[in-house]
Amino acid sequence: MNQQERVSPRTAAPAEGSSCSRLSPWVLLISALAVKTALMTVGLVVLFHRICGQYKTLPQNASEWHCITSGPASQKDSWKCCPEGWRPFQESCYYFSDDQMPWDKSQQNCSGMDSQLVVINTKAEQDFLYKEIGRQMKYQQHSIHLYIGLRAQEVGQWRWVDQTPYNETAAFWRPGEPSDDPNELCVVISYHKDIFRNWNDVPCRIHSYRICENAAETL
Ligand SMILES: *[C@@H]1O[C@H](CO)[C@@H](O)[C@H](O)[C@H]1NC(C)=O
Ligand SMILES: *[C@@H]1O[C@H](CO)[C@@H](O)[C@H](O)[C@H]1NC(C)=O
Ligand SMILES: *[C@@H]1O[C@H](CO)[C@@H](O)[C@H](O)[C@H]1NC(C)=O
C-alpha cells in the first residue's frame, strides 16, 4: 500500500548509512522470524528424536503411547507415558511377557528393551503387580510363575538387578519361602489368587514368564 512512499525516499537517499537504518526494522523482523523458525525446527527435531529414540528401544511394534497424569489435572508437566502394551504405575512402566524363558534370558530380553526385570521396592508396588497379574487374561492358568529382578549368587545373599539393597521388611515371600536351597537362586512371583505374599525361590533355568520395568517417560 504505502510501499511507494518507502521506495522513493530510499532511492533518493544519498548515503548508504541512511538506507541501512531504514531497512533495519525489516532486517530485525526477518531475523527474528528466522531465529524463531530455527528454534522451532530444533525443538521439533529434538522432540521427534526423543520419541523415535524411545520407539527403537521399545518392544514389538509399539504404535501408541498411553499417558496418565499423576498430579493435579492443571499441572501440565505431570504426565507419565508408557508405550502400547506396557502398564503404568507411579514412575514406572511394566511389561508382562507372553512367553517363558530362564532367568538370564529374561533379564537379557528386558535389557534389550531398555528395561530390567522388575525391582519391587514397596508394598504398593507389590500390590499393583498382584492385582495386575490377576486381571491379565493370559495368566488365567493354574499356576503362574513370573521372574522378578531378584537373585542370589550365594544362598541367602539376595541382590536386586539395579543394586537396590535387599530389604527384608519389604520382601513378600510365600509362607515357608525362601527355601534357601543352593539350587534355587532365582526368584519368581508364584501367582495364586488370594495369596498376596507370593515370592518363591526357584532354579534359574526354569522357564517362567517375566515382568520388565522401565522408567515412565515424563511429558
Ligand atoms: C505387531 O505387528 C504384528 C504383525 O503385523 C501384529 O500381529 C501384532 O498384533 C502387533 N503388535 C502390537 C503390539 O501392535
Ligand atoms: C523380547 O521378547 C519379546 C517377546 O518374545 C520379543 O518380541 C522381543 O523381540 C524380545 N526382545 C529382545 C531384545 O530380546
Ligand atoms: C525397608 O522397608 C520398610 C517397609 O517398607 C521401610 O519402612 C524401611 O524404610 C525400609 N528400609 C530401608 C533401609 O530401605
Side-chain angles (χ1 to χ4, degrees), residues 124-151:
E125 193 175 15
Q126 168 74 11
D127 189 55
F128 160 76
L129 296 172
Y130 170 71
K131 289 187 174 137
E132 191 60 35
I133 295 164
R135 59 180 285 283
Q136 297 258 345
M137 290 310 289
K138 61 194 175 195
Y139 298 144
Q140 307 295 311
Q141 297 163 33
H142 215 59
S143 143
I144 290 295
H145 288 177
L146 304 101
Y147 276 125
I148 64 174
L150 185 63
R151 76 175 289 176

Side-chain angles (χ1 to χ4, degrees), residues 59-60 95 97-99 101 105 108-113 210:
Q60 300 143 4
Y95 169 81
S97 81
D98 296 329
D99 54 349
M101 49 183 80
K105 287 276 187 327
Q108 270 172 34
N109 181 271
C110 293
S111 64
M113 298 189 291
R210 64 192 170 283

